[in-house]
Amino acid sequence: MKFTFLTILSILLLSACQVDSKSEDHEVQTKEKLTIPKSNDNPSTDKKENLPKEIAPIKVEESVSEDRNNATQNTTRPKSGSGIITLAPSAMIEIDKFNEAYLISLVRKGINLIRIRRGASQLKLNEVLNQAAEDHNLYQIRKNELTHKQSKPRKHEVMDRVKTYGGGFRMVGENVQYQGLQQLTTGNRTEIISETYQQMANKMIKNWVDSPGHYDNLIESEFTEDGMAIGWNPENYAFFATHVFGARK
C-alpha cells in the first residue's frame, strides 16, 4: 500500500512602529508591536475595506528620481530571447523574475484608495523614504528576520535610516511583514503555489488593514509621503515588505 502525504503551509508575520522626533537632537519615542497570528488565517477585524479585484499601477508623483519614476510606472519587463511581455494585475508571479516595481505599484494604489476613503491624502512616493525602505527590507531578507531594528548604530531605528538617506521628516512610521506563498508537499516533493500580482497585493494590504497598529500608520493623516520595498526570500518562500511613512518638518 502506498501513502501520499499532502501538506499546505502559508506564513504571515507583521510588525509596525511609529517614531516621532520632537527635538533638535532627534530624541525619539518608539512604539513597537509584533503580531503573530495563531493560525494561517489573517487576524480578525471589524474593519471592512473593499479591495478592488484589479488595481492599475499608480502614477508616481513628486520627489522621486527619473529612474525610479520610470521603474515604478513600468508595466512591462523583458523576457529572455522574446522581446517584451506586458504585465497585468491578473498575471501570475514568477518567483525567479518577479517584478518588484509592479507589485509595489498595486499595493500603494490600494493603500491610497483606502486613505482617500478615510479622508487622508494620497501618499506621494519619496526617494529618501524609498531608500530607507529598500535598505531595511534587504536587511530583513539577509537576516531572515522580521524586525524594526538593525545592528549598525547609524541605521538602528527607522528614523536613523531615514536620516542616513537625507532626513527632512519630523515623524516617520514603518510597517513590515512577510507573506508566504503556499507550499504543496507531496511525498518528498515541494511545489510553490504561485498567485497573481493582484492577489498578492490584496493579501499584503489586507494583512496591514487587519492589524490595528499597521492600519493606524496606513491612514495617519499627518503622513503625506512614503517609500516601499518588496523582496523575495527563498529561505522561507516568502515576500518581505517594508513600508516607510513620513511627515515633513
Side-chain angles (χ1 to χ4, degrees):
M1 183 177 293
K2 186 176 181 180
F3 294 94
T4 301
F5 295 95
L6 299 178
T7 303
I8 294 180
L9 174 65
S10 62
I11 305 169
L12 162 65
L13 283 175
L14 305 167
S15 188
C17 80
Q18 190 175 111
V19 177
D20 192 1
S21 178
K22 296 185 177 179
S23 66
E24 292 185 0
D25 60 359
H26 298 288
E27 293 180 2
V28 296
Q29 297 178 349
T30 304
K31 287 182 175 180
E32 190 169 322
K33 180 176 69 173
L34 176 65
T35 303
I36 305 178
K38 294 181 180 179
S39 70
N40 288 337
D41 296 328
N42 290 329
S44 62
T45 179
D46 57 0
K47 295 186 294 297
K48 302 295 181 183
E49 296 288 359
N50 297 319
L51 301 179
K53 291 182 180 179
E54 289 198 358
I55 304 175
I58 192 169
K59 180 181 179 182
V60 179
E61 305 204 25
E62 300 169 359
S63 302
V64 295
S65 67
E66 184 177 351
D67 289 344
R68 182 67 187 183
N69 185 54
N70 291 338
T72 307
Q73 294 189 71
N74 183 30
T75 59
T76 61
R77 56 177 169 77
K79 185 177 182 181
S80 299
S82 59
I84 293 177
I85 63 172
T86 301
L87 279 178
S90 59
M92 297 299 294
I93 295 174
E94 299 177 63
I95 297 304
D96 59 338
K97 48 187 175 182
F98 99 95
N99 191 308
E100 176 191 8
Y102 187 66
L103 182 55
I104 287 173
S105 73
L106 294 176
V107 175
R108 292 188 66 252
K109 179 65 174 180
I111 288 171
N112 274 327
L113 289 175
I114 292 170
R115 286 178 60 85
I116 291 170
R117 288 199 291 265
R118 295 304 177 203
S121 64
Q122 293 190 58
L123 295 166
K124 295 180 180 180
L125 192 60
N126 175 273
E127 186 62 20
V128 168
L129 301 178
N130 218 52
Q131 289 179 357
E134 289 176 345
D135 183 297
H136 192 55
N137 210 57
L138 287 173
Y139 178 87
Q140 292 177 102
I141 291 172
R142 286 197 303 268
K143 293 287 187 179
N144 194 24
E145 176 186 4
L146 200 69
T147 178
H148 288 293
K149 302 181 187 300
Q150 293 192 24
S151 56
K152 293 182 179 180
R154 72 185 184 92
K155 294 183 179 180
H156 187 58
E157 304 279 357
V158 59
M159 182 63 87
D160 298 325
R161 295 187 287 275
V162 170
K163 288 193 293 182
T164 294
Y165 290 104
F169 295 90
R170 63 176 175 80
M171 182 171 71
V172 299
E174 182 178 78
N175 286 350
V176 300
Q177 68 168 291
Y178 71 73
Q179 172 65 56
L181 286 177
Q182 290 186 334
Q183 304 159 52
L184 177 62
T185 301
T186 307
N188 295 325
R189 180 184 175 189
T190 299
E191 177 186 357
I192 299 176
I193 303 174
S194 189
E195 300 183 7
T196 70
Y197 280 88
Q198 192 64 70
Q199 288 171 334
M200 180 54 64
N202 282 355
K203 274 189 174 182
M204 289 182 170
I205 296 166
K206 189 175 187 300
N207 291 341
W208 280 328
V209 166
D210 284 354
S211 179
H214 304 86
Y215 188 68
D216 289 346
N217 276 346
L218 288 184
I219 63 171
E220 173 57 64
S221 60
E222 291 192 60
F223 291 142
T224 57
E225 298 174 71
D226 73 331
M228 183 180 292
I230 299 173
W232 173 251
N233 183 359
E235 290 191 26
N236 59 9
Y237 303 101
F239 288 102
F240 274 76
T242 302
H243 196 186
V244 179
F245 309 83
R248 286 284 182 180
K249 291 183 177 180

